[in-house]
Amino acid sequence: MGTTASQLGKDLLSEYQELTFLTKQEILLAHKRFTELLSKEEKDLPNTRVSMERILSLPELKSNPFRERICHVFSTSAHQDGSLTFEDFLDLLSAFSDSATLEIKSHYAFRIFDFDDDGTLDCGDLEKLVNCLTGETDDTRLGPEEMRQLINNVSPIKLLFVLRLQLWIHGFLCGF
């Protein structure tokens, strides 16, 4: 544990504590888990990215139906490949921590469910969300008619959610 703390450095550790909802111990544990995903050669390189494939091997993400979307939302990779740096990894853990605010959790939930990254939740996003939850095999996937019925029934609720989110964002930006 001492080597993990010294690898991060006291100033960097303090900065991470200020910028996240994570405690010092949680940051040190995150660093340890992140470096365990790196090869020996990668451990010596600064700002190393861990591939989405390796991130998805973590037990916490392995069975999450939105695992790939989560990686894409938190990844800062210019290649949009879902790979994560340690700081990306900290952002992910911070957003899902018990200490994160409802606003932060809502923001990232919206981004995860916005599959086409267009800033709105439309029928296409809803269909992908349902497929993630039900599974994408022929045995579990909803048929076209079932999907249409579900989307038609959920659309009024979705519209209210989108309007509330847009009003909240507007209020936040205007200083309410």
Side-chain angles (χ1 to χ4, degrees):
M1 184 82 95
T3 57
T4 303
S6 63
Q7 285 175 346
L8 280 178
K10 188 178 177 181
D11 291 340
L12 193 54
L13 187 57
S14 293
E15 185 178 336
Y16 288 151
Q17 277 183 271
E18 282 183 43
L19 296 174
T20 67
F21 295 101
L22 302 173
T23 66
K24 176 182 175 182
Q25 287 306 111
E26 290 170 326
I27 294 167
L28 291 173
L29 180 59
H31 188 263
K32 180 179 183 282
R33 296 202 58 209
F34 186 82
T35 54
E36 286 172 353
L37 296 171
L38 299 172
S39 67
K40 271 189 173 185
E41 299 80 30
E42 292 171 324
K43 288 180 184 181
D44 297 330
L45 301 172
N47 298 319
T48 302
R49 291 190 161 280
V50 172
S51 70
M52 181 168 63
E53 181 180 315
R54 282 193 266 165
I55 294 289
L56 295 180
S57 72
L58 293 170
E60 296 84 353
L61 286 173
K62 201 175 236 181
S63 60
N64 188 311
F66 302 104
R67 60 192 169 272
E68 290 182 12
R69 262 314 279 163
I70 291 169
C71 286
H72 282 287
V73 165
F74 286 94
S75 175
T76 57
S77 171
H79 302 291
Q80 299 180 339
D81 58 6
S83 63
L84 301 178
T85 63
F86 177 63
E87 289 184 357
D88 295 339
F89 188 63
L90 278 184
D91 287 342
L92 184 158
L93 295 176
S94 180
F96 285 104
S97 86
D98 291 339
S99 303
T101 65
L102 184 57
E103 289 82 10
I104 293 292
K105 291 177 186 269
S106 300
H107 169 80
Y108 283 105
F110 183 88
R111 289 196 53 212
I112 290 165
F113 297 157
D114 181 17
F115 286 87
D116 56 8
D117 295 317
D118 67 353
T120 62
L121 297 179
D122 56 22
C123 291
D125 295 320
L126 189 55
E127 187 173 330
K128 288 181 181 178
L129 186 145
V130 169
N131 284 335
C132 280
L133 292 173
T134 60
E136 298 202 31
T137 66
D138 290 337
D139 295 343
T140 59
R141 174 180 265 180
L142 296 181
E145 182 60 27
E146 293 169 310
M147 185 66 77
R148 190 185 60 71
Q149 283 181 321
L150 178 69
I151 289 173
N152 287 341
N153 290 335
V154 174
S155 287
I157 296 167
K158 178 191 69 83
L159 180 61
L160 285 175
F161 173 76
V162 170
L163 288 174
R164 280 188 164 182
L165 184 64
Q166 288 173 341
L167 286 172
W168 178 83
I169 291 170
H170 181 267
F172 180 76
L173 293 175
C174 294
F176 287 118

